[in-house]
Amino acid sequence: MSDRHTTPRTLLDIFFERVRVAPDAEAMRWVDADGVVHALTWGAWDQRARALAAGLLELGLAPGARVVVLSRTRVEWALIDVAVLMAGGISVPIFPNELPTSCGRVLRDSGARVAIAENPWQLNKLREADPELIDGLALILIDEEMTLASGAVMTAAEFGVSPHRVQTLAGLEARGAARRAQRGERELAARIAATEPDGCATICYTPGTEGAEKGVMLTHENFAFTCHAVDQLLDLSPEDTQLLYLPLAQAFARLVLWVAVRAGAVTAFARSYRTVFEDAGLFQPTYLAGVPRLFEKTHEEVEAELLAAGGWTSLVAGWVVGVHSRETPATEGFVARAKRELGGRVVRRRLRERFGGKLRFAFSGGAPLGVETARFFHGHGLPLLEGYGMVETCAATHLNRLGDCGVGTVGRPLPGVEFKLLEDGELCVRGRNVTPGYWNKREETDKVFDADGWFHTGDLGEVDDDGRLVITDRKRDIIVTANGKAIAPRPIAEKLRVDPLVGQVLIHGDRRTFLTALISLRREPLLRFAEEHGLEGDYETLTRHPRVFAAVDLVIDRVNATLAPHEVIRKFAILQSEPTTEAGDLTPTMRLKRRVAAEKYKALLDSFYSEPF
């Protein structure tokens, strides 16, 4: 049997233990372009990863060499992840929606020797980033061809990359299998045996909300310790299936993948973010991890669908929709209680159906979770566990537990993780999950660690009466007005985002006399609002409509009524387009790049203070 009570030394220890215990058990599941479901056992994962690792050795990959991976989340990503570790390499993931300029910075800074791209389009981004740089790289394609929306089939040659410069992942695996057959396991076994806990397993580049990307080194020990700690807190088993849609370039997603390996749970790969609910119906997961927007969208759509269903369903759902956050009064009568229970049953059934019918709980990470959304899930019997972590802390320092969850908090620290709050409220953490530092940036590393080894997160927090951590804001985001008032913008933005219409919010006012806001609207709720009020036009047209402005103005007024006088938003504007990662407005984890937005809309923000409106 597997010993899950002892902390493993390395990620490979976790993987090999799972292969040893259950080689024929299912490890991964996915669906192909034709809708056919496939599965891979732990033993088969091991053999394919070994072949790929041998293929990397055939390419001349040296111990510690960096391997860039530019792909969406898919089963090949997991194969590559283990293969690179077996070969003694260091994976360098790049988010699939990153722009060529960002890709180029990562390539140059990491000094990668191998680049694995999902398809010719992704490979072309690397070429555009630095044509000369990729001349020195071994280039590998997961998919040799890609089909465009027009039906045209594109290869690397159409993007100006010679076919002789590129090989496929399948070809690499075949050559590796042949190498193993000829030379045996000695060379690969030596690389595996040389793996040490303090060895760098991956370099994850931070999204750059506060400037240029920094490569965070995460060691085998960082991941092994964190996986073990999270596994100890959850009731996971080989009977569980997780649905994974988050980009594996994200430390949070890599962590939940490896926690599943530790627990022996099956990982089912969603085809994309857009197909999450369809894939949930297909794979029927028992748990999943997601960013807050997935759960906010679920909250909005489940309530909207039930109210629009008509007849008895709408009537019954209407008894509880919008009231899930209220305390149940002690004096509640029989009829009111019966309505609440019956209405709750209707909502619970729809909520569970949304995720395939077997979901036991979900994780939310990558960005702050709205309190109303958390209450909706908990109030309808589906625990939504929020945690806290950064790339630098291997994605987790705190986590709410099943049966011990504080809505609006990020829970208690993981076993073995220390934390403290400085006088100004800054959160500092210490533990085996914390990075040894930034790649090639000694000065940046020294800035975030003190003499006692505490990592300064830059986030502000407080501890509630039950000992759970509440993150209040980002230290560098604190606004100090011209009157000397210090204001945390995040709580104000989160209050605004409770309304379904409100998407991203930029609160502005540093060294100004009052606060202002730029607000983007969520597309689907905006279109529903337009339909309900008889408005016509596309997204951009609707953002300029007086009825829409009045609705947002009402939201501002409602939030302002809860704020101190110096926190009140005096002026605001609705953006005519949604911020996107493609435009460089959002990080890959869907956080607004505040500095980028402030610079992009500088003229508009300045006008708030110079013009009398």
Side-chain angles (χ1 to χ4, degrees):
M1 292 184 64
S2 173
D3 179 12
R4 287 167 60 189
H5 300 291
T6 303
T7 305
R9 295 173 66 254
T10 70
L11 284 172
L12 289 178
D13 287 345
I14 294 176
F15 183 74
F16 291 143
E17 174 67 6
R18 182 51 49 194
V19 173
R20 182 188 69 79
V21 169
D24 298 323
E26 190 174 310
M28 296 189 287
R29 200 180 300 159
W30 70 100
V31 60
D32 65 21
D34 297 320
V36 178
V37 176
H38 300 267
L40 199 69
T41 65
W42 295 105
W45 186 352
D46 178 46
Q47 289 303 307
R48 291 192 63 183
R50 286 176 183 272
L52 285 170
L56 290 171
L57 297 185
E58 184 77 14
L59 290 177
L61 189 78
R66 276 75 65 201
V67 179
V68 158
V69 184
L70 177 56
S71 171
R72 64 180 172 87
T73 293
R74 51 189 290 174
V75 67
E76 290 86 355
W77 218 121
L79 296 174
I80 292 165
D81 200 12
V82 176
V84 172
L85 295 175
M86 287 179 172
I90 300 172
S91 61
V92 182
I94 300 179
F95 284 91
N97 53 3
E98 281 288 14
L99 300 173
T101 51
S102 294
C103 295
R105 287 195 294 267
V106 171
L107 279 175
R108 284 187 290 273
D109 187 68
S110 67
R113 305 309 305 154
V114 178
I116 302 176
E118 180 174 15
N119 53 42
W121 181 70
Q122 294 287 15
L123 180 61
N124 185 53
K125 290 202 300 190
L126 300 179
R127 187 190 65 81
E128 286 184 357
D130 194 328
E132 294 183 2
L133 185 62
I134 69 166
D135 285 343
L137 297 178
L139 303 177
I140 299 166
L141 280 174
I142 297 175
D143 294 332
E144 188 173 13
E145 299 177 342
M146 60 181 296
T147 303
L148 305 181
S150 63
V153 176
M154 300 289 286
T155 67
E158 274 78 31
F159 287 108
V161 179
S162 170
H164 303 293
R165 287 277 298 110
V166 183
Q167 59 180 302
T168 65
L169 190 70
L172 182 74
E173 185 176 347
R175 279 185 285 278
R179 183 186 178 99
R180 290 179 68 202
Q182 293 169 1
R183 303 190 183 185
E185 295 287 319
R186 183 177 300 178
E187 186 178 15
L188 189 57
R191 292 285 179 96
I192 292 170
T195 304
E196 294 292 339
D198 63 355
C200 185
T202 188
I203 302 173
C204 295
Y205 281 78
T206 57
T209 53
E210 298 181 351
E213 300 93 341
K214 290 178 288 189
V216 180
M217 294 184 288
L218 292 175
T219 66
H220 279 267
E221 182 180 40
N222 291 152
F223 267 107
F225 168 82
T226 311
C227 284
H228 177 70
V230 173
D231 180 48
Q232 293 298 296
L233 299 178
L234 300 174
D235 184 25
L236 294 177
S237 77
E239 302 301 314
D240 280 299
T241 297
Q242 75 158 326
L243 181 64
L244 184 59
Y245 81 92
L246 294 171
L248 281 168
Q250 186 182 19
F252 178 39
R254 292 281 282 291
L255 176 62
V256 297
L257 172 65
W258 279 97
V259 167
V261 177
R262 177 67 170 164
V266 177
T267 294
F269 290 86
R271 285 165 287 182
S272 73
Y273 172 76
R274 296 181 181 86
T275 64
V276 165
F277 300 120
E278 182 182 345
D279 293 333
L282 182 65
F283 294 121
Q284 297 184 310
T286 58
Y287 73 102
L288 66 80
V291 293
R293 184 59 195 139
L294 175 73
F295 304 112
E296 292 166 356
K297 181 181 176 69
T298 302
H299 177 189
E300 296 162 8
E301 291 184 351
V302 166
E303 290 193 337
E305 288 169 8
L306 289 173
L307 292 179
W312 175 252
T313 299
S314 294
L315 175 65
V316 174
W319 294 336
V320 295
V321 166
V323 298
H324 46 267
S325 62
R326 300 179 191 169
E327 296 276 342
T328 302
T331 57
E332 183 182 50
F334 172 79
V335 174
R337 184 168 62 253
K339 283 185 172 182
R340 175 173 53 81
E341 291 177 354
L342 184 58
R345 199 175 305 159
V346 170
V347 177
R348 279 194 297 276
R349 186 184 305 117
R350 181 61 63 91
L351 182 58
R352 290 193 177 277
E353 287 173 353
R354 193 83 169 172
F355 291 104
K358 294 185 178 180
L359 201 69
R360 297 195 292 119
F361 65 93
F363 296 109
S364 178
L369 176 68
V371 171
E372 289 301 309
T373 295
R375 285 175 176 162
F376 171 79
F377 275 80
H378 284 276
H380 293 302
L382 188 55
L384 180 52
L385 308 178
E386 185 175 14
Y388 169 82
M390 304 173 66
V391 178
E392 290 90 339
T393 63
C394 203
T397 66
H398 290 69
L399 181 65
N400 276 294
R401 282 78 154 161
L402 289 167
D404 181 20
C405 185
V407 171
T409 79
V410 295
R412 308 179 197 280
L414 300 182
V417 174
E418 300 176 83
F419 82 102
K420 66 178 181 179
L421 298 176
L422 302 182
E423 287 187 9
D424 63 358
E426 183 180 6
L427 172 67
C428 297
V429 297
R430 189 166 61 181
R432 291 162 62 192
N433 58 326
V434 179
T435 176
Y438 299 112
W439 177 259
N440 287 335
K441 288 182 170 59
R442 184 72 255 175
E443 289 185 6
E444 292 293 328
T445 299
D446 292 340
K447 288 178 184 178
V448 295
F449 284 95
D450 63 25
D452 295 320
W454 288 98
F455 173 72
H456 292 239
T457 66
D459 285 324
L460 302 177
E462 57 191 28
V463 178
D464 71 6
D465 294 338
D466 295 317
R468 299 188 185 95
L469 179 66
V470 179
I471 299 297
T472 56
D473 218 312
R474 187 81 183 140
K475 187 174 181 179
R476 294 178 67 172
D477 287 345
I478 293 298
I479 293 171
V480 180
T481 66
N483 300 319
K485 296 287 188 180
I487 301 169
R490 175 178 149 183
I492 301 174
E494 288 305 310
K495 286 183 177 182
L496 292 170
R497 295 183 74 248
V498 168
D499 191 276
L501 269 179
V502 178
Q504 297 288 348
V505 178
L506 175 67
I507 306 293
H508 181 72
D510 199 48
R511 291 172 294 193
R512 306 280 198 173
T513 53
F514 56 85
L515 295 190
T516 57
L518 299 181
I519 295 174
S520 72
L521 303 183
R522 293 173 178 158
R523 184 173 296 273
E524 292 175 10
L526 176 60
L527 297 179
R528 282 200 298 270
F529 179 90
E531 184 178 357
E532 291 168 2
H533 293 82
L535 310 183
E536 295 182 354
D538 58 13
Y539 178 90
E540 182 178 340
T541 302
L542 291 172
T543 61
R544 300 195 300 267
H545 199 286
R547 289 290 296 274
V548 173
F549 186 89
V552 176
D553 194 27
L554 202 60
V555 175
I556 297 282
D557 287 345
R558 188 165 61 243
V559 171
N560 277 346
T562 69
L563 303 175
H566 62 279
E567 296 175 325
V568 167
I569 297 169
R570 300 294 173 85
K571 297 180 181 181
F572 73 93
I574 299 173
L575 301 179
Q576 294 178 17
S577 62
E578 292 180 284
T580 64
T581 53
E582 291 76 14
D585 306 315
L586 303 177
T587 71
T589 54
M590 307 307 288
R591 286 182 173 180
L592 184 68
K593 294 183 178 179
R594 295 175 54 83
R595 293 186 179 184
V596 171
E599 183 61 31
K600 183 175 182 177
Y601 298 105
K602 185 178 184 302
L604 176 57
L605 292 169
D606 287 345
S607 73
F608 286 147
Y609 303 93
S610 61
E611 298 179 14
F613 63 87

